[in-house]
Amino acid sequence: MADADIEELIDRMNRELEATTYALRSIEIAVVHGGYADTDSVVRTNIADNEFQLRDWRNLGDRFVSRELEWNYPTARGAANRMSAMLVGTVCEILDPQEGLVWDQKNLHDHAEMQFLRRVRNGVFHGNRFGFRNYNGSGAAWRGCELTMEMKNKPVFTEIEGNRLYLAGPESRNDFDVGRDINEGLLEAGDGLALVDDIIDILIEETG
């Protein structure tokens, strides 16, 4: 792998780490504002040095979350989408602990929404891009949206590419917009939440 490729991978990792830190610190601040100011941190460690690690991540998170909220909105949106994507992927994994046993027993294959869930899950876990392996372009649908072959290699959830967190405001509005390339995906964070909610309703109907 060329050095330039390594640098790109490192930059992508750092952006993912920033987005996750933003999301986690936001959760913890919400807990504090909800009246649990004396509670332990929601971000714990089993292996890492607790005192050192938590002190560093809190300081970093405070700079990201507590200051310059407007300027960092794109990163907040990206973090929300990543967390929602992981939720959808995890829910699909929960339904398939024994190689399709639950799907077969509950006839889940017959639901277009469940097929939609599977295709979204596959995309989420493969670079956030639709792959459509073993899919003929029909049969996976949710709330009036059917997945088609034209969506292949397109983003599943909207991505905020190239964006880095601002620790100080830009000097001008033009600077404010620099580096905030948005790759529009099929889904946003709220769609992931709604999809999981609908999947739960289907499961309740099938087991009722």
Side-chain angles (χ1 to χ4, degrees), residues 144-191:
C145 176
E146 184 170 30
L147 302 183
T148 65
M149 297 307 294
E150 286 73 24
M151 297 176 184
K152 186 175 182 178
N153 297 323
K154 298 295 179 62
V156 181
F157 281 80
T158 296
E159 303 170 328
I160 312 300
E161 285 292 335
N163 178 61
R164 299 306 298 268
L165 288 161
Y166 288 103
L167 300 183
E171 295 182 0
S172 71
R173 175 57 60 173
N174 290 333
D175 294 335
F176 179 81
D177 293 328
V178 170
R180 300 192 174 199
D181 299 328
I182 299 177
N183 292 335
E184 294 289 348
L186 179 67
L187 305 175
E188 293 282 344
D191 295 311

Side-chain angles (χ1 to χ4, degrees), residues 15-168:
R15 291 203 305 268
E16 291 293 329
L17 180 60
E18 288 177 352
T20 303
T21 298
Y22 190 104
L24 293 176
R25 188 56 178 154
S26 297
I27 292 171
E28 190 146 274
I29 288 175
V31 170
V32 171
H33 288 175
Y36 294 91
D38 296 328
T39 190
D40 291 335
S41 172
V42 295
V43 180
R44 303 176 181 229
T45 58
N46 281 335
I47 298 175
D49 184 333
N50 188 65
E51 294 297 326
F52 178 78
Q53 294 289 341
L54 290 184
R55 182 180 67 247
D56 281 3
W57 95 267
R58 279 188 179 131
N59 291 338
L60 184 65
D62 284 340
R63 282 159 49 205
F64 289 165
V65 177
S66 300
R67 297 171 51 198
E68 326 304 3
L69 294 180
E70 177 185 358
W71 296 321
N72 286 318
Y73 171 78
T75 299
R77 180 183 174 193
N81 283 352
R82 288 185 183 98
M83 294 187 75
S84 185
M86 290 301 101
L87 169 67
V88 173
T90 300
V91 165
C92 191
E93 291 299 293
I94 290 172
L95 287 173
D96 199 15
Q98 298 178 351
E99 300 182 354
L101 180 61
V102 175
W103 288 73
D104 293 337
Q105 287 183 346
K106 302 300 180 182
N107 299 316
L108 299 184
H109 300 282
D110 296 337
H111 294 273
E113 296 86 352
M114 301 302 296
Q115 294 297 334
F116 187 96
L117 173 72
R118 292 186 66 181
R119 299 299 168 183
V120 168
R121 174 265 179 214
N122 291 344
V124 164
F125 289 156
H126 291 86
N128 191 41
R129 294 294 186 275
F130 284 113
F132 296 147
R133 182 179 178 183
N134 300 323
Y135 181 62
N136 61 12
S138 65
W142 173 63
R143 296 199 180 193
C145 176
E146 184 170 30
L147 302 183
T148 65
M149 297 307 294
E150 286 73 24
M151 297 176 184
K152 186 175 182 178
N153 297 323
K154 298 295 179 62
V156 181
F157 281 80
T158 296
E159 303 170 328
I160 312 300
E161 285 292 335
N163 178 61
R164 299 306 298 268
L165 288 161
Y166 288 103
L167 300 183

